Amino acid sequence: MYNELGLTLSQVTESAALAGYKWLGRGDKNRADDAAVAAMRHQLNDSNVNATIVIGEGEIDDAPMLYIGEQLGKGGAAIDIAVDPIEGTRMTAMGQPNALAVLAAAEKDTLLQAPDMYMEKLVVGPQAAGAIDLARPIEENIRNIAQQLNKPIQELVVATLAKPRHDSIIKTMQAMGVRVYAFPDGDVAASLLTCMPESDVDMMYCIGGAPEGVVTAAVIRALGGDMQARLLTRDVVKGDTLANIKHAESERQRCNEMGVSENVILRLNDMVKTDNIVFCATGITKGDLLDGVQKHGSYLTTETLLIQGHNRTIRMIKSNHDLNKTNKELLKLIA
């Protein structure tokens, strides 16, 4: 079943990537995101699955995004999905590298259900599994990871996001001699690099989105890595302005309704309770993991990373999409 499901879901991220590509470099990240959402929704509804969105980019009320609790598919395998139709909307809008369409799927009731809010994340690959503790200072984690990897701290490589909220921690790591790769966006891709043999990234740390965090947890579990995380309210991350405090109150209420707690450390098994995971990522722009969408006459070419946790299979799928034979409804979104 999982081989067939993997191919089905790879078509979903392909459709989202193709739709996002239509808006590549046009400076409008919202229209790119909307197009990818519509394409992903269309493809899921045309698939033989019984899918529930457990964490996405929007809430149910007037959400233009794939909202939490949304039911999709024609019927079939009952799965939960964590999704980010475009990881890197700004990168897509500006034509920058590393934009992806991503999703993770697993058996019902095995993925963390949480609001769309901030999440602090600490991720390592298989060789450093067990060496992290988000309750400890970043310096202690770096020393423990370096010791477990048998590496001098000066050879350790950490990926993070180039955000003002990370400026202090980046300086701390660099003062220790760590090499820091700061990406403009895209913590799923940055996290994946910790588990890729050809990558020199040893650790990923950032405060980013919760949907991307659950997607990351799924693929990191599938690859044998390790991750800890915690949900953070907006006032903690962005400052205690009146607007942020009000937004944080709403986030705490949503957490209470969904049975999760903010500022509590979540281990990998708290976020993903099964190895039966399917992860798909399709490149929109060329990046460290995947090539982006490329146009060749009436064809668009995509590259998709498909990871299946039940047997730890990693596939790279190169697909040619003939625009002359594409479903008319989907064609409106991608051409």
Side-chain angles (χ1 to χ4, degrees), residues 38 76 105 112 188 228 282 286 290:
L112 176 72
V188 176
Q228 291 188 12
T282 302
K286 184 176 178 61
L290 294 161

Side-chain angles (χ1 to χ4, degrees), residues 72-88:
L72 298 160
K74 295 194 295 186
I79 55 173
D80 285 346
I81 290 180
V83 63
D84 192 357
I86 298 184
E87 194 206 20

Side-chain angles (χ1 to χ4, degrees), residues 269-328:
N269 196 57
D270 297 319
M271 294 180 279
V272 185
K273 294 179 170 61
T274 180
D275 291 324
N276 294 328
I277 296 154
V278 175
F279 169 85
C280 301
T282 302
I284 301 171
T285 59
K286 184 176 178 61
D288 296 272
L289 282 172
L290 294 161
D291 282 336
V293 179
Q294 298 178 44
K295 188 170 175 47
H296 304 283
S298 65
Y299 286 85
L300 290 173
T301 300
T302 56
E303 187 172 70
T304 298
L305 176 65
L306 170 61
I307 298 173
Q308 294 171 288
H310 72 289
N311 57 7
R312 294 213 175 151
T313 300
I314 302 174
R315 291 185 174 92
M316 299 292 282
I317 303 172
K318 200 93 168 179
S319 302
N320 290 324
H321 306 267
D322 187 347
L323 297 180
N324 293 324
K325 296 185 178 181
T326 301
N327 176 288
K328 287 183 179 180

Side-chain angles (χ1 to χ4, degrees), residues 10-45:
S10 70
Q11 293 175 324
V12 175
T13 55
E14 285 174 356
S15 296
L18 291 169
Y21 171 77
K22 178 180 179 179
W23 296 96
L24 181 64
R26 298 186 186 276
D28 194 332
K29 67 177 186 176
N30 292 329
R31 294 191 74 174
D33 215 11
D34 288 348
V37 168
M40 191 171 269
R41 178 178 282 119
H42 171 83
Q43 191 66 48
L44 278 167
N45 276 328

Side-chain angles (χ1 to χ4, degrees), residues 224-291:
D226 197 6
M227 175 178 176
Q228 291 188 12
R230 56 186 157 198
L231 297 166
L232 300 176
T233 52
R234 183 169 296 192
D235 57 340
V236 172
V237 177
K238 305 282 281 187
D240 55 355
T241 65
L242 287 176
N244 288 342
I245 290 171
K246 184 176 180 181
H247 194 93
E249 289 173 356
S250 175
E251 290 173 331
R252 291 188 182 98
Q253 181 180 345
R254 290 288 290 140
C255 283
N256 186 56
E257 291 169 356
M258 300 177 78
V260 294
S261 301
E262 43 102 10
N263 204 29
V264 171
I265 292 175
L266 301 165
R267 289 171 171 78
L268 200 53
N269 196 57
D270 297 319
M271 294 180 279
V272 185
K273 294 179 170 61
T274 180
D275 291 324
N276 294 328
I277 296 154
V278 175
F279 169 85
C280 301
T282 302
I284 301 171
T285 59
K286 184 176 178 61
D288 296 272
L289 282 172
L290 294 161
D291 282 336

